[in-house]
Amino acid sequence: MTRGTGVLAAVLAAGALLASCSAPADLDAAAASQLQSRVLAVSKDAAGKNYAGALADLDQLGRDLDAAAAAGKLTPARREQISSAMALVRADLSAARTAASASPSPSTAPTPTPTPAPAVAPAVTPTAAPAPLPPAPAKGRSHSKGKGKKDH
């Protein structure tokens, strides 16, 4: 379960707790009001990703629930229903807190350094070799006597 899903589940379960505290027949009105305020605190902390605070509020809700039950302000069936919902919320909050502590926050994550692309030598296009030049005329005196003259 992702952190966002866990928080959402915790808030929804806390909302279910809030709704379950409103039935007057099996829960005293003053006790319901006190429990509702604790559920609201759990919901606010969970929505703000303050999982430790939400768990502390949930612990206090459990103590308030125990006190209300000891004073006879709710039926055993209603206490069990609220306790079951609290267990689901606790599991979701604990999972969200574990996930939040296991993953680094975006501001502390190292920024990857771009790797430079390897240098590529420019392609060498072969060029046609120039045609060979005819041999240069020899400089200096030649042994020939010129045009039409013969050696004697």
Side-chain angles (χ1 to χ4, degrees):
M1 178 180 303
T2 65
R3 191 177 340 162
T5 305
V7 172
L8 179 60
V11 172
L12 290 175
L17 271 176
L18 183 62
S20 72
C21 293
S22 61
D26 55 358
L27 179 62
D28 178 74
S33 178
Q34 182 180 12
L35 296 175
Q36 286 173 342
S37 68
R38 293 287 181 206
V39 169
L40 182 59
V42 171
S43 298
K44 285 182 178 179
D45 282 340
K49 297 182 181 180
N50 178 5
Y51 306 122
L55 287 166
D57 291 335
L58 195 61
D59 290 340
Q60 185 58 51
L61 176 62
R63 289 189 290 273
D64 291 348
L65 183 63
D66 291 343
K73 296 185 178 186
L74 71 154
T75 63
R78 177 48 68 103
R79 180 180 186 197
E80 182 58 35
Q81 182 185 18
I82 295 171
S83 293
S84 295
M86 287 174 59
L88 293 173
V89 172
R90 183 174 307 284
D92 287 341
L93 288 171
S94 295
R97 181 177 63 177
T98 300
S101 65
S103 62
S105 66
S107 62
T108 61
T111 304
T113 305
T115 305
V120 177
V124 177
T125 306
T127 57
L133 296 174
K139 292 191 178 185
R141 292 182 96 186
S142 73
H143 295 281
S144 68
K145 301 277 181 170
K147 202 173 189 183
K149 296 186 182 176
K150 293 185 180 179
D151 274 332
H152 298 327

